[in-house]
Amino acid sequence: MPKLRWWQTGIIYQVYPRSFQDSDGDGIGDLNGILQRLDYLAWLGIDAIWLSPIFPSPMADFGYDISDYTDIDAAFGSLADFDRLLDAAHRRGLKVILDFVPNHTSDQHPWFVDSRSSRASRKRDWYIWRDAAEEGGPPNNWLSVFGGPAWAWDEASRQYYYHAFLKEQPDLNWHNREVREAMYDVLRFWLERGVDGFRVDVIWHLIKDRQFRDNPPNLGYRAGEQPYARLDPVYTTDRPEVHEVISEMRQVVDAYQDRVLIGEIYLPVERLVSYYGVDREGVHLPFNFQLLQCEWNAPAILDLVRDYEALLPGGGWPNWVLGNHDNHRIASRVGTAQARVAAMLLLTLRGTPTMYYGDEIGMADAIIPPELVQDPFEKRVPGIGVGRDPARTPMQWDASANAGFTRGTPWLPVADEHHGRNVAAEAEDPHSVLALYRRLIELRRRRPELTVGDWQALAADGDVLAYSRSHAGSRLLVALNLGPTPHRLPLAEPGRVLLSTHLDRAHDVISGQVELRSNEGLILG
Ligand code: GLC
Ligand code: MG
């Protein structure tokens, strides 16, 4: 068996830097704050941290609008702080993955300022400029993900530019060779500094149709969905030429040893798997977001795991994501009891797990009073639940004011639940969600069945989802009760309880059938 890489056996933990730990009292998390918490992350047992963007930014989209790709935003610290953090992480055996945002820059980036300055600018073609339609108005029907048309009018140069997200986030023109080279140099800048890889933002958006054809209507659109979903974005996303760009990125990264390229891609699974690369190399891991979006029941989950496993191309390594900064937290999506079962699912499926900060203590979406809303998506498309602030509130470290996150005023409110739900309290409690995560992570590190083993579906019977993981003749059984009613599952062979999500009955030997209590998950070995 080939030796597996760190990003195959390891666990990735997403840090949203604004909300992890503030070190200087400005209410915004920063790199020195993350540095202070590295020992916690090492104790938790994860292998790699992915940092959402830390680069200079006007923060129209909280760092996903970058005005300089090769520096650190002053709110987060400095390049020297970054080097210290990277070094301290590496000394603890933790890898560091940066967020690379190639689809768009900030409108304050010098490239865009130049591009916008005149139609004759040498950088005009670095962005996507078009004349108005003959009858006036935007050149075509393309929509912004964040609501409204994707075209913004520039009065001075009398053309429109394309922005898939905010108008403060103009899209780069990836058909342009100079753009590509400039962005590959950005990758090299960070690779030379020693980063272990990149999570690539909206990678399936990079290339747009050269003929600027209208997107067709989405026939499945339902009232109440976000306005962007009215069209089927076939001419603005998932274009065939994107794979050529990705293979170039992959070559840049592969020139360095043991680095990883992860793609953010929201597509149906049949399309998603093409990002592993078919004719040429793709990303190492196209993020698999199915657990963020699926119905929470046993048959649905069994089907999606089975289909995903079946569709993976040869050599394609699976991965699973349970939470991130763009979606409701797992504890809110499935409830606190099922969040434990979800943790067991994430950490026992085959493939690299990605965790979201705070999920390991069971943080739920916080309630954000209207006057404190920060997310531009919620501001532009209010009231239908697209807001991302609830999942971005400060990490809850202890029961003190502001949960130990800041001595200042936090940029988003700390959730009220922090008095009981925080790292300090849960670290003392042997039955906490945090205790469960640590046990799961420890078991996963110790048992090769869980990292390199095969996955086999056993049952999806009512609320019960059961599968096995086997390696070198040894087999573990995972049985999850996805509901509140107790269930029995017949066992083919006797097994010993290695872990229950209730964190009791370890070592019980069970034969014949196993009784799963309300909302209980078990690993039997
Ligand atoms: C990605 C990011 C999201 C951001 C968007 C635009 O989806 O995860 O937070 O708003 O890209 O950059
Ligand atoms: Mg700060």
Side-chain angles (χ1 to χ4, degrees):
M1 191 178 59
K3 188 181 165 304
L4 293 182
R5 317 246 56 126
W6 63 267
W7 50 266
Q8 295 178 293
T9 54
I11 297 168
I12 300 172
Y13 181 101
Q14 180 187 358
V15 169
Y16 193 68
R18 285 184 85 78
S19 299
F20 200 59
Q21 176 66 61
D22 179 23
S23 71
D24 58 4
D26 66 353
I28 298 174
D30 43 50
L31 297 184
N32 285 330
I34 299 170
L35 180 70
Q36 290 168 18
R37 296 299 186 179
L38 281 184
D39 286 332
Y40 164 75
L41 294 171
W43 171 82
L44 180 61
I46 54 101
D47 299 86
I49 52 177
W50 148 37
L51 305 177
S52 282
I54 50 177
F55 317 104
S57 165
M59 302 288 167
D61 190 20
F62 297 105
Y64 286 95
D65 50 319
I66 295 171
S67 53
D68 181 352
Y69 285 95
T70 55
D71 203 348
I72 302 291
D73 193 276
F76 297 129
S78 64
L79 272 176
D81 294 332
F82 178 76
D83 290 340
R84 256 194 306 278
L85 175 62
L86 184 63
D87 183 57
H90 284 165
R91 274 188 281 112
R92 287 166 178 81
L94 299 173
K95 307 281 186 187
V96 177
I97 298 168
L98 291 185
D99 212 312
F100 180 52
V101 187
N103 181 67
H104 43 269
T105 69
S106 160
D107 64 345
Q108 306 300 307
H109 194 294
W111 298 341
F112 187 71
V113 173
D114 185 341
S115 183
R116 161 179 239 168
S117 65
S118 124
R119 288 198 190 195
S121 157
R122 284 201 45 241
K123 291 210 162 50
R124 189 66 170 180
D125 187 52
W126 281 40
Y127 293 83
I128 303 170
W129 291 99
R130 298 288 285 172
D131 290 338
E134 265 170 40
E135 59 288 4
N140 65 20
N141 73 349
W142 293 355
L143 295 174
S144 155
V145 176
F146 287 159
W151 296 100
W153 176 247
D154 179 57
E155 184 52 38
S157 63
R158 303 199 61 77
Q159 275 191 316
Y160 283 93
Y161 66 87
Y162 176 76
H163 57 92
F165 295 88
L166 299 175
K167 70 175 183 350
E168 292 83 2
Q169 294 168 295
D171 280 45
L172 282 163
N173 174 15
W174 275 83
H175 291 294
N176 181 299
R177 192 73 239 170
E178 289 174 3
V179 166
R180 294 190 189 188
E181 292 307 329
M183 293 301 278
Y184 302 153
D185 282 345
V186 170
L187 291 175
R188 291 187 193 99
F189 174 90
W190 294 106
L191 290 163
E192 291 290 335
R193 273 196 128 78
V195 307
D196 300 290
F198 302 93
R199 171 266 190 190
V200 186
D201 192 63
V202 296
I203 200 167
W204 85 111
H205 274 259
L206 289 184
I207 295 278
K208 286 59 134 168
D209 181 35
R210 276 182 187 278
Q211 297 173 50
F212 295 90
R213 285 169 279 190
D214 275 351
N215 278 325
N218 169 14
L219 301 174
Y221 182 80
R222 280 165 317 205
E225 279 188 85
Q226 45 177 299
Y228 175 69
R230 285 179 185 279
L231 301 181
D232 191 2
V234 293
Y235 292 118
T236 41
T237 60
D238 195 26
R239 302 296 304 158
E241 307 96 305
V242 77
H243 297 286
E244 174 195 318
V245 173
I246 296 173
S247 80
E248 289 177 4
M249 278 184 196
R250 175 67 183 265
Q251 275 177 43
V252 173
V253 169
D254 278 354
Y256 296 77
Q257 251 197 337
D258 220 14
R259 315 294 167 98
V260 69
L261 203 54
I262 304 172
E264 185 206 19
I265 302 155
Y266 286 89
L267 282 175
V269 63
E270 315 77 65
R271 297 292 320 136
L272 177 70
V273 294
S274 73
Y275 284 74
Y276 281 104
V278 182
D279 303 329
R280 43 181 138 223
E281 295 273 40
V283 293
H284 295 100
L285 300 175
F287 259 153
N288 169 13
F289 295 131
Q290 293 179 89
L291 295 179
L292 288 172
Q293 299 162 324
C294 67
E295 272 187 64
W296 203 255
N297 65 62
I301 295 177
L302 192 74
D303 275 357
L304 77 85
V305 180
R306 204 189 259 143
D307 291 350
Y308 179 63
E309 285 276 349
L311 283 165
L312 284 172
W317 185 257
N319 78 90
W320 297 94
V321 179
L322 203 56
N324 65 28
H325 64 297
D326 293 326
N327 288 279
H328 298 295
R329 283 191 180 269
I330 184 72
S332 293
R333 277 186 282 124
V334 303
T336 40
Q338 278 298 311
R340 286 173 176 258
V341 175
M344 187 169 275
L345 177 70
L346 174 73
L347 290 160
T348 57
L349 284 174
R350 192 175 79 91
T352 309
T354 299
M355 299 170 46
Y356 183 50
Y357 86 94
D359 282 352
E360 77 274 26
I361 55 170
M363 275 173 68
D365 282 2
I367 293 164
I368 311 292
E371 67 279 10
L372 295 181
V373 167
Q374 303 285 330
D375 182 16
F377 194 7
E378 175 68 22
K379 288 181 180 169
R380 292 182 48 81
V381 185
I384 61 164
V386 298
R388 301 168 296 175
D389 295 330
R392 296 176 174 181
T393 57
M395 179 64 174
Q396 295 158 201
W397 296 105
D398 57 44
S400 69
N402 295 327
F405 165 69
T406 181
R407 52 176 194 275
T409 307
W411 77 284
L412 272 177
V414 174
D416 287 339
E417 63 160 15
H418 84 268
H419 297 287
R421 195 173 285 291
N422 61 66
V423 170
E426 293 196 25
E428 297 290 306
D429 173 1
H431 295 102
S432 64
V433 182
L434 182 58
L436 174 63
Y437 264 95
R438 285 195 70 215
R439 296 284 302 279
L440 280 165
I441 291 171
E442 184 267 332
L443 193 64
R444 194 181 162 95
R445 298 186 84 92
R446 195 154 48 79
R447 299 295 296 247
E449 298 93 324
L450 292 177
T451 42
V452 304
D454 294 338
W455 177 89
Q456 209 193 347
L458 296 177
D461 194 5
D463 285 334
V464 177
L465 169 62
Y467 50 89
S468 68
R469 298 294 313 277
S470 19
H471 176 67
S474 165
R475 197 160 88 115
L476 300 181
L477 168 73
V478 181
L480 308 174
N481 183 354
L482 273 71
T485 325
H487 287 284
R488 292 206 170 84
L489 178 75
L491 289 182
E493 56 202 65
R496 196 167 56 93
V497 175
L498 298 179
L499 191 59
S500 158
T501 49
H502 294 14
L503 295 167
D504 55 9
R505 68 153 143 171
H507 312 303
D508 284 9
V509 176
I510 298 175
S511 55
Q513 57 179 10
V514 60
E515 167 112 10
L516 289 167
R517 290 169 288 172
S518 168
N519 300 303
E520 183 179 32
L522 285 180
I523 305 175
L524 302 176

